[in-house]
């Protein structure tokens, strides 16, 4: 009996722990998600201050001011931004004041400099103002104890600015999952090196590392290993004990039913289960937990080696639980689209075909591209959608509606 896609999704999701929190400096917080409510630790503003360059006054003292009959007041102090000594405004006087500077006691309004003659020793005021004019009162933005940023907020630049204005050097955010990618296969050769007959360039490692990073994880690629069980186990032990940390290991290759399946040979019966999933592409799958030399347990997901199978398996099994483990929503949109060409799917298997979804004459349509085989990477590279054909469907005709997973939203 094969495992269904839904069953394997459930098993893989169970490997991920709840999101964990960490405190990061504000400079590193952009795009991160707050792990807890952040409450104001100070009032904003922290004191009554001027909203304009002008003159701090008592409104009653200039109530009779007009353009043709200004009121003249002596200027008894100058208040630039940053002045910290307490000041008092005597009745019948003015203080020259800059934007953001603290309002002196006794003042209840600010006259913009444009409504005066900008005098230094005395000032002629050409217009009256109401009490509170051009004054930012203490706590008018936020007061101590108010909710500043709710838990679960994706921090953008203004939110980080608010945290900085509150005097917070750092913020508690959900930690990204640290993932290490390992490709296996004696036939693999690094890009840029000459190929011998029977060799291929390694592509799964960089592809999966990119996919994991795109999903929000901190992913790094280990150099691929040959089909040697001892070397593979040594590499896993080194990954688990690496001081950079590892929350998840993802491998590609070595999980099928043939000989020289290094991942299966090394891990079967040792905390990792290898199964066949009723899907195309990506039937051979594995997952579980492995222990390092220090006894630490780390989850591992073993994907098939064919590149399309590996990437489709990531989309189907890994991306959603990975994002949930970081407090992120599953951002892969599902919709239905009209097929522009017929499709055939093997009986009893859930097929994921590559497609291009688009709008045609106001209708959402999807063009199936390429054959269903798991080695046609060029068509996956060109696709912006996966056509999800259910296990109970063998044939779909042109014009039929199909379930579609959007895998590329077109954003930069």
């Amino acid at each position: 009996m094969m495992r269904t896609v839904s069953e394997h999704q459930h098993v893989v999701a169970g490997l991920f722990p709840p999101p964990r929190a960490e405190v990061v400096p504000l400079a590193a917080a952009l795009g991160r998600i707050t792990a807890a409510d952040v409450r104001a630790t100070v009032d904003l503003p922290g004191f009554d201050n001027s909203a304009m360059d002008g003159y701090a006054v008592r409104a009653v003292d200039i109530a009779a001011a007009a353009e043709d009959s200004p009121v003249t007041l002596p200027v008894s102090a100058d208040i630039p931004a940053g002045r910290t000594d307490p000041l008092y405004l005597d009745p019948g006087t003015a203080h020259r004041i800059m934007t953001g500077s603290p309002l002196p006691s006794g003042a209840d309004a600010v006259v913009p400099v444009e409504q005066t003659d900008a005098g230094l020793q005395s000032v002629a005021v050409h217009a009256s103002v109401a009490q509170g004019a051009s004054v930012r009162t203490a706590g008018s933005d936020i007061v101590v104890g108010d909710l500043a940023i709710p838990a679960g907020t994706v921090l953008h630049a203004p939110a980080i600015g608010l945290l900085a204005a509150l005097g917070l050097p750092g913020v508690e955010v959900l930690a990204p999952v640290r993932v290490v990618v390992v490709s296996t296969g004696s036939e693999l050769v690094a890009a840029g090196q000459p190929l011998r007959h029977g060799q291929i360039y390694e592509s799964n490692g960089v592809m999966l590392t990119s996919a994991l990073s795109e999903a929000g994880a901190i992913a790094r690629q280990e150099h691929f290993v040959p089909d040697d069980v001892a070397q593979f186990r040594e590499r896993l032990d080194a990954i688990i004990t690496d001081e950079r940390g590892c929350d998840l290991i993802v491998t590609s290759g070595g999980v099928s039913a043939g000989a020289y399946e290094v991942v299966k040979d090394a891990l079967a019966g040792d905390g990792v289960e290898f199964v066949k999933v009723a899907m195309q592409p990506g039937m051979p799958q594995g997952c579980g937990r492995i222990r390092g030399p220090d006894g630490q347990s780390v989850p591992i997901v073993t994907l098939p080696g064919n590149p399309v199978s590996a990437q489709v398996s990531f989309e189907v099994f890994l991306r959603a639980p990975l994002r949930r483990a970081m407090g992120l929503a599953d951002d892969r949109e599902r919709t239905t689209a009209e097929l522009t060409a017929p499709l055939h799917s093997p009986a009893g298997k859930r097929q994921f075909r590559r497609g291009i979804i688009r709008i045609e004459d106001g209708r959402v349509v999807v063009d199936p591209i390429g054959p269903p085989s798991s080695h046609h990477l060029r068509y996956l590279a060109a696709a912006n959608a996966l056509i999800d054909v259910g296990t109970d469907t063998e044939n779909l005709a042109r014009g039929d509606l199909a379930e579609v997973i959007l895998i590329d939203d077109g954003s930069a």
Side-chain angles (χ1 to χ4, degrees):
M1 292 291 294
M2 289 191 188
R3 180 177 285 175
T4 67
V5 168
S6 296
E7 288 169 344
H8 195 63
Q9 286 173 327
H10 178 75
V11 174
V12 172
L15 297 174
F16 288 87
R20 61 183 177 88
E22 63 179 2
V23 176
V24 300
L26 295 188
L30 184 65
R32 303 292 293 273
I33 298 174
T34 50
D37 289 345
V38 181
R39 296 193 173 272
T41 52
V42 297
D43 294 341
L44 292 180
F47 48 85
D48 293 347
N49 68 86
S50 177
M52 303 285 288
D53 293 335
Y55 295 84
V57 297
R58 295 171 186 260
V60 67
D61 289 340
I62 60 168
E67 183 63 37
D68 56 356
S69 58
V71 171
T72 300
L73 301 174
V75 178
S76 55
D78 208 33
I79 313 176
R83 185 165 179 175
T84 58
D85 55 316
L87 293 172
Y88 177 76
L89 179 72
D90 291 319
T93 67
H95 288 177
R96 193 168 74 128
I97 192 168
M98 302 300 118
T99 302
S101 299
L103 197 72
S105 298
D108 59 16
V110 172
V111 180
V113 67
E114 293 84 0
Q115 295 176 0
T116 73
D117 66 352
L120 299 179
Q121 303 302 318
S122 64
V123 61
V125 180
H126 292 273
S128 64
V129 295
Q131 288 185 353
S134 299
V135 174
R136 303 166 178 156
T137 58
S140 57
D141 186 6
I142 195 169
V143 299
V144 172
D146 277 356
L147 179 62
I149 308 288
T153 299
V154 179
L155 292 172
H156 50 39
I160 292 173
L162 173 59
L163 296 175
L166 292 171
L168 301 174
V171 60
E172 187 178 24
V173 295
L174 298 178
V177 176
R178 299 164 298 179
V179 188
V180 179
V181 178
V182 184
S183 299
T184 64
S186 298
E187 75 279 12
L188 302 178
V189 176
Q193 301 299 313
L195 288 177
R196 299 171 60 186
H197 182 68
Q199 293 181 326
I200 60 172
Y201 288 121
E202 199 283 325
S203 60
N204 284 357
V206 66
M207 177 175 64
L208 291 170
T209 302
S210 299
L212 288 156
S213 299
E214 183 184 53
I218 294 178
R220 70 179 191 270
Q221 179 184 359
E222 285 286 313
H223 186 71
F224 44 88
V225 296
D227 293 325
D228 182 278
V229 170
Q231 288 190 48
F232 179 64
R233 287 303 308 228
E234 288 175 6
R235 183 64 56 83
L236 294 182
D237 288 345
I239 291 169
I240 294 171
T241 57
D242 192 296
E243 62 182 10
R244 289 173 289 182
C246 175
D247 303 309
L248 172 69
I249 297 172
V250 175
T251 70
S252 68
V255 297
S256 295
Y260 306 106
E261 301 294 345
V262 62
V263 177
K264 181 184 285 188
D265 292 345
L267 302 178
D270 192 17
V272 180
E273 182 183 19
F274 294 91
V275 298
K276 292 182 179 180
V277 178
M279 65 184 289
Q280 185 192 55
M283 183 176 67
Q285 300 285 339
C287 65
R289 303 187 70 90
I290 58 173
R291 292 192 177 276
D294 58 358
Q296 180 183 359
S297 175
V298 175
I300 186 169
V301 175
T302 65
L303 304 178
N306 278 313
V308 176
S309 296
Q311 183 64 20
V312 169
S313 296
F314 167 80
E315 288 286 345
V316 173
F317 299 118
L318 266 177
R319 199 176 197 279
L322 175 74
R323 286 179 62 82
R324 283 196 298 271
M326 298 182 287
L328 298 167
D330 181 5
D331 58 351
R332 290 307 198 212
E333 181 183 347
R334 280 183 167 269
T335 188
T336 57
E338 183 181 318
L339 286 169
T340 62
L343 285 182
H344 172 74
S345 181
K349 287 190 176 182
R350 188 168 165 184
Q351 189 183 61
F352 296 91
R353 293 288 292 270
R354 281 65 77 196
I356 297 176
I357 193 167
R358 57 189 177 84
I359 304 297
E360 181 181 276
D361 298 329
R363 306 180 340 269
V364 180
V365 301
V366 61
D367 305 316
I369 57 172
S373 303
S374 57
H375 66 284
H376 290 284
L377 187 56
R378 61 176 291 191
Y379 295 107
L380 183 59
N384 64 6
L386 294 177
I387 304 167
D388 186 354
V389 184
T391 56
D392 57 348
T393 301
E394 293 187 47
N395 293 288
L396 288 169
R398 175 188 173 94
D400 284 350
L401 291 179
E403 293 287 326
V404 176
I405 307 167
L406 277 64
I407 58 173
D408 181 2
D409 61 7
S411 61

